[in-house]
Amino acid sequence: MAKEGVEKAEETEQMIEKNGGKEQENGLGADTKEMRAVVLSGFGGLNKLRVNKKPMPEPQEGEIKIRVKACGLNFIDLMVRQGNIDSPPKTPLIPGFELSGIVETLGENTKGFEIGDRVMAFTNYNAWAEVTCIPQEFVYKIPDDMSFSEAAAFPMNFVTAYMMLFEVANLREGMSVLVHSAGGGVGQAVAQLCYTVPNVTVFGTASSFKHEAIKDSLTYLFDRNSDYVQEVKRVSPEGVDIVLDCLCGENTGKGLSLLKPLGTYILYGSSNMVTGETKSFFSFAKSWWQVEKVNPIKLYEENKVIAGFSLLNLLFKQGRSALVKQVMDKLIKLYCGRKIKPRVDSLWALEEVKEAMQRIHDRGNIGKLILDVEKSPTPLMANDSTETSEAGEEEEDHEGDNENKERMPFIQ
């Protein structure tokens, strides 16, 4: 491990030097202090995204300046782009909530980190850029054998999965779990964490074309468009102990119907609300209309628990970073013990963010999509989509800009 540590340190130094060289080649020397970043100019379709030059941020007290290597792309990013979240921020903004990279500068009164450390982090926006500054409480060191792409795929998916299973639902030996979108990043994290507990049965739903790739990661796998309620009951007539629902809509009632007494249903997303490139109030209303109205008396009579989980709200609105740090420490130990491992679907250049978002929208990914900051874009993609722009001019998106302002809760 000592030898590996030396090699990693040398690799880090080379990367910092390489980045410095790149800035000189691009005319971005120490005097200009600019960087590339994905910018969302307004809420709407894919054409609201552009790679622009932005001023280089500098760390404030308690912050860490990170040279970004990779960024995670999540379904919540699609909701942000459409403006389908509660109290959306003002645009223009730099999207993204998780990243990995190298510590470049330390702000005053930061402790526990050194320049050159390999880290991963949560951030309240501003992840999709070459450099970002983050309060140290949201930054974590990367294990020596974890790649930057794996590190960018790790925080959101595994912390979400772990906290739902163990902090909210109290997963124990012999229980059963149903997880939707089993081929996605959170779904795969849930499956891996379930198998760290003896005799846990994992039911999953996913698009049929993903089944061959993920069938070995779950106990039972069903087509997302099938009558999975009856399929689950054939195997387990009493139902399941835990339901993890990122779909919402009609799946809410189905999930509650499958719960055993003392079972827990957790809503942690609403991807069925996102049906087009821009937000649609009709789709929004239709999906919520399908949600079964929860009757507290019925919950009491049936001994069932219904809960919600939003990691981003927990971190940035409710101030529970210390609890998340404890969870991250446990997860890193599981990773180092080879019990869990992030599944990366594909790597995309910053300039390919539109295509990456479309892949998530189409539910085409198996595991996590990653924006690789150092990756060169495929020429056709760069020409057709997010060309780097100094001024940020773009074609107007007239679809959906003036629709009803109803918004979904900010959940992930």
Side-chain angles (χ1 to χ4, degrees):
M1 289 296 292
K3 182 179 179 182
E4 290 181 3
V6 172
E7 291 175 350
K8 288 295 181 183
E10 292 176 350
E11 177 187 350
T12 297
E13 291 177 4
Q14 292 172 2
M15 286 179 175
I16 292 176
E17 290 175 2
K18 180 180 177 183
N19 282 317
K22 278 189 173 182
E23 289 181 358
Q24 295 297 331
E25 290 173 9
N26 295 329
L28 302 179
D31 294 333
T32 57
K33 293 186 177 181
E34 288 185 324
M35 65 175 183
R36 291 161 55 240
V38 175
V39 176
L40 180 67
S41 61
F43 300 118
L46 291 169
N47 66 330
K48 296 297 185 181
L49 294 165
R50 184 79 60 174
V51 176
N52 287 350
K53 298 289 177 59
K54 300 291 288 183
M56 185 83 73
E58 294 299 331
Q60 303 299 309
E61 183 175 358
E63 289 186 341
I64 297 174
K65 180 179 179 181
I66 299 172
R67 173 68 59 171
V68 180
K69 296 297 179 181
C71 317
L73 206 161
N74 299 283
F75 208 93
I76 186 67
D77 295 311
L78 275 69
M79 296 168 62
V80 168
R81 193 201 75 221
Q82 294 184 357
N84 281 333
I85 59 173
D86 186 40
S87 301
K90 293 181 180 180
T91 56
L93 62 87
I94 298 173
F97 298 101
E98 62 181 338
L99 58 88
S100 64
I102 298 171
V103 174
E104 193 165 272
T105 309
L106 297 172
E108 293 184 8
N109 297 323
T110 54
K111 299 178 181 179
F113 295 92
E114 296 180 358
I115 293 173
D117 281 347
R118 302 168 69 249
V119 295
M120 54 188 165
F122 292 106
T123 178
N124 196 16
Y125 299 97
N126 297 311
W128 297 354
E130 290 183 310
V131 174
T132 192
C133 296
I134 301 174
Q136 64 176 4
E137 64 196 278
F138 305 121
V139 183
Y140 318 91
K141 292 183 181 178
I142 298 175
D144 289 340
D145 57 348
M146 182 183 281
S147 68
F148 284 117
S149 59
E150 284 183 327
F154 194 80
M156 188 79 81
N157 291 347
F158 276 94
V159 172
T160 295
Y162 187 97
M163 297 194 78
M164 289 193 299
L165 289 172
F166 297 105
E167 300 288 339
V168 181
N170 193 22
L171 178 65
R172 301 184 302 280
E173 181 176 354
M175 282 187 166
S176 54
V177 178
L178 169 64
V179 58
H180 292 300
S181 297
V186 173
Q188 287 292 288
V190 165
Q192 292 182 33
L193 288 168
C194 282
Y195 290 131
T196 66
V197 179
N199 302 318
V200 171
T201 301
V202 186
F203 298 92
T205 69
S207 301
S208 57
F209 74 90
K210 299 183 181 182
H211 285 202
E212 184 63 29
I214 67 172
K215 63 182 181 180
D216 294 334
S217 64
L218 301 106
T219 317
Y220 299 97
L221 181 59
F222 309 118
D223 190 292
R224 63 172 292 175
N225 297 314
S226 69
D227 185 359
Y228 62 83
V229 172
Q230 295 305 314
E231 296 286 349
V232 171
K233 287 186 174 180
R234 285 192 188 97
V235 177
S236 178
E238 292 185 352
V240 297
D241 297 291
I242 301 170
V243 174
L244 305 178
D245 182 10
C246 62
L247 301 177
C248 199
E250 63 181 1
N251 293 281
T252 302
K254 292 179 179 180
L256 286 170
S257 73
L258 278 172
L259 278 185
K260 294 179 182 180
L262 303 183
T264 303
Y265 163 94
I266 304 175
L267 177 68
Y268 71 100
S270 48
S271 64
N272 276 343
M273 305 292 188
V274 180
T275 57
E277 183 178 320
T278 58
K279 67 178 180 179
S280 166
F281 177 69
F282 174 76
S283 298
F284 176 91
K286 179 181 178 183
S287 294
W288 274 115
W289 183 257
Q290 294 173 328
V291 176
E292 180 174 298
K293 304 300 183 292
V294 178
N295 185 336
I297 299 300
K298 189 176 181 180
L299 292 176
Y300 153 75
E301 291 173 344
E302 297 181 352
N303 282 299
K304 293 181 179 180
V305 177
I306 184 168
F309 183 77
S310 166
L311 176 56
L312 295 176
N313 283 347
L314 194 70
L315 278 168
F316 300 120
K317 291 185 179 180
Q318 295 156 359
R320 299 302 178 90
S321 60
L323 175 59
V324 173
K325 174 66 166 60
Q326 294 174 12
V327 171
M328 281 292 291
D329 290 343
K330 294 175 183 177
L331 288 168
I332 289 171
K333 287 181 181 178
L334 288 172
Y335 176 87
C336 293
R338 290 174 166 74
K339 301 291 185 181
I340 59 175
K341 184 178 178 64
R343 184 163 187 168
V344 175
D345 174 83
S346 50
L347 304 179
W348 304 76
L350 290 181
E351 290 79 6
E352 297 168 344
V353 65
K354 293 181 184 179
E355 288 75 19
M357 272 199 166
Q358 188 64 51
R359 182 168 174 80
I360 288 187
H361 182 277
D362 295 339
R363 277 77 168 178
N365 58 300
I366 299 174
K368 190 65 162 274
L369 273 74
I370 299 296
L371 296 178
D372 185 337
V373 175
E374 295 185 338
K375 183 179 182 296
S376 298
T378 303
L380 285 178
M381 287 187 179
N383 291 335
D384 291 344
S385 57
T386 50
E387 295 178 353
T388 300
S389 168
E390 296 288 350
E393 293 89 359
E394 59 182 271
E395 61 182 301
E396 287 298 319
D397 174 17
H398 298 290
E399 182 182 358
D401 279 353
N402 298 311
E403 293 180 4
N404 191 295
K405 296 299 182 183
E406 289 280 348
R407 301 190 188 277
M408 289 184 287
F410 191 178
I411 45 182
Q412 168 63 25

